[in-house]
Amino acid sequence: MAVATHFSFPVNYVLSEASRSRGRFDRKLVRAVASGDSVAPAISEETKVKLGGSDLKVTKLGIGVWSWGDNSYWNDFQWDDRKLKAAKGAFDVSLDSGIDFFDTAEVYGSKFSLGAISSETLLGRFIRERKERYPGAEVSVATKYAALPWRLGRESVISALKDSLARLELSSVDLYQLHWPGLWGNEGYLDGLGDAVEQGLVKAVGVSNYSEKRLRDAYERLKKRGIPLASNQVNYSLIYRAPEQTGVKAACDELGVSLIAYSPIAQGALTGKYTPENPPSGPRGRIYTREFLTKLQPLLNRIKQIGENYTKTPTQVALNWLVAQGNVIPIPGAKNAEQAKEFAGAIGWSLTDDEVAELRSLASEINPVVGFPVEYL
């Protein structure tokens, strides 16, 4: 059975390592010039939300950078200068469009994941180049710790974090997350997150792919140290609503933990780009099959119709639907400037309650693809 989401990516990482041992954005954009030098476009506070119970504020929509540097799942198994320039364009246009929250991970693009170049390395380079152009530029960075079976104890979290910081060329990150639950040693990992906060290496901490029970346990363990669990990053989209069915979404709302939604446009399936005659290439083609895309067409047709009423694309409608659920921060993956600009146009406006309900009803008639299995542990 095919598995959607970024589960396939960490699996490559684990197996390899083990074998070794367009839309409108309604916001206020302020630009200024001082002493003849350009100043970075300012991000309006109106576009930001607090991340859980932390003091960190991030934009209502972020950008996932899993694909940057990857050639094991994305990019048709190839990474080249053209794709590098496209990723740099996605980064710059995101910031120019008012989106300054980027999510990466130590496994993305890693050689241990059979990747070409670390996503963290690329993001760090792009940030440095941006700040050389705009010294006052601010970028919010989230990255993740890989809970590999041979990594034990809180010290492993701090060690991995410092390695990530070196690749990112930063002294600290805004959000550090456990990428998935470990087979064992999760208490130590959570203690490591707490240590990272106390050492000033991170502003906020979160988890990813955590079930309701694991989420509650993590929340309570960190709470004892006076540290809020800021987020839980899970697979969530209009056609994959497991977080609602498993109680994760309700628990996040109850505890004040922000839900960060990865694969919010179902890896492109909700964009309208793919049809039964034109399925996605690579591993995604085995997940979003011709049969599945045939069943998806009525929903996609209605999304397109609704979008036309707002002069919005299907992608922007699908992302706005997620935002309408409340306490949700989608992080679609941007490979190029055009996609980044389109994603920015997903916020600053709202679907009606009736439209949100109608799309949910239509989506309920479609059998979802399989998510990250640990969600059900």
Side-chain angles (χ1 to χ4, degrees):
M1 183 177 292
V3 177
T5 82
H6 51 216
F7 176 58
S8 58
F9 202 74
V11 163
N12 289 341
Y13 184 96
V14 172
L15 293 178
S16 180
E17 174 72 357
S19 70
R20 286 163 167 74
S21 68
R22 249 128 42 185
R24 177 175 59 86
F25 184 38
D26 299 327
R27 57 176 174 78
K28 296 178 180 178
L29 182 61
V30 181
R31 295 178 182 270
V33 175
S35 302
D37 295 325
S38 294
V39 176
I43 309 299
S44 171
E45 286 299 310
E46 295 176 6
T47 68
K48 293 194 172 187
V49 292
K50 281 190 66 176
L51 195 68
S54 74
D55 294 329
L56 177 63
K57 284 188 174 183
V58 299
T59 44
K60 296 177 182 179
L61 177 144
I63 297 296
V65 301
W66 173 17
S67 68
W68 295 3
D70 173 64
N71 58 6
S72 65
Y73 187 83
W74 299 99
N75 303 308
D76 295 322
F77 307 108
Q78 296 178 0
W79 182 256
D80 52 33
D81 287 345
R82 180 179 61 83
K83 291 170 183 172
L84 172 62
K85 291 177 182 177
K88 178 63 161 59
F91 175 79
D92 284 329
V93 169
S94 294
L95 289 167
D96 291 343
S97 301
I99 305 298
D100 68 354
F101 180 42
F102 295 85
D103 178 83
T104 183
E106 64 173 320
V107 296
Y108 297 166
S110 161
K111 64 180 180 180
F112 300 118
S113 303
L114 308 180
I117 184 171
S118 166
S119 171
E120 289 181 328
T121 297
L122 291 175
L123 180 57
R125 181 190 306 173
F126 296 163
I127 293 172
R128 169 169 44 80
E129 293 171 349
R130 181 79 175 189
K131 290 187 174 182
E132 288 171 355
R133 180 182 178 190
Y134 300 121
E138 293 185 2
V139 180
S140 295
V141 175
T143 191
K144 309 182 200 73
Y145 167 86
L148 300 166
W150 49 89
R151 282 181 160 174
L152 301 174
R154 63 208 301 167
E155 297 84 1
S156 69
V157 176
I158 299 299
S159 176
L161 173 56
K162 289 180 177 179
D163 287 342
S164 287
L165 292 174
R167 287 186 290 269
L168 288 161
E169 303 179 44
L170 298 173
S171 59
S172 67
V173 290
D174 296 273
L175 175 65
Y176 197 48
Q177 307 152 95
L178 302 181
H179 204 154
W180 60 84
L183 297 176
W184 46 71
N186 287 288
E187 294 81 3
Y189 298 152
L190 291 166
D191 291 342
L193 290 184
D195 294 345
V197 173
E198 293 176 354
Q199 293 179 30
L201 299 174
V202 301
K203 293 180 181 177
V205 291
V207 292
S208 180
N209 298 302
Y210 267 47
S211 65
E212 178 188 359
K213 182 181 185 306
R214 288 185 182 275
L215 175 68
R216 292 184 182 278
D217 289 347
Y219 175 89
E220 291 298 333
R221 191 172 187 88
L222 288 167
K223 183 180 178 181
K224 291 177 181 177
R225 296 176 66 174
I227 298 172
L229 178 66
S231 60
N232 185 17
Q233 184 178 146
V234 295
N235 183 4
Y236 188 28
S237 71
L238 177 56
I239 58 172
Y240 188 81
R241 301 183 306 283
E244 300 173 358
Q245 299 151 2
T246 60
V248 167
K249 174 67 165 66
C252 284
D253 294 346
E254 173 195 334
L255 300 174
V257 174
S258 293
L259 190 155
I260 300 176
Y262 70 76
S263 294
I265 49 176
Q267 299 186 4
L270 287 171
T271 66
K273 174 182 178 180
Y274 302 114
T275 65
E277 297 74 33
N278 178 41
S281 60
R284 289 179 298 156
R286 297 195 294 270
I287 299 168
Y288 302 102
T289 63
R290 287 182 170 84
E291 180 183 5
F292 180 82
L293 291 171
T294 298
K295 295 177 180 177
L296 193 60
Q297 291 312 297
L299 173 62
L300 291 177
N301 290 338
R302 184 57 183 140
I303 289 175
K304 183 178 179 180
Q305 291 170 354
I306 290 174
E308 289 172 348
N309 295 332
Y310 297 92
T311 319
K312 295 294 179 180
T313 67
T315 295
Q316 292 166 337
V317 172
L319 291 170
N320 194 270
W321 184 91
L322 271 180
V323 174
Q325 306 312 305
N327 193 37
V328 177
I329 302 170
I331 52 166
K335 295 182 184 178
N336 55 54
E338 183 180 9
Q339 289 180 346
K341 184 66 177 177
E342 183 177 23
F343 296 155
I347 56 176
W349 62 283
S350 300
L351 294 165
T352 67
D353 291 344
D354 287 345
E355 288 166 340
V356 170
E358 180 186 3
L359 292 178
R360 176 185 291 276
S361 178
L362 286 171
S364 297
E365 300 174 10
I366 303 166
N367 258 348
V369 293
V370 178
F372 199 174
V374 295
E375 295 170 0
Y376 301 99
L377 292 177

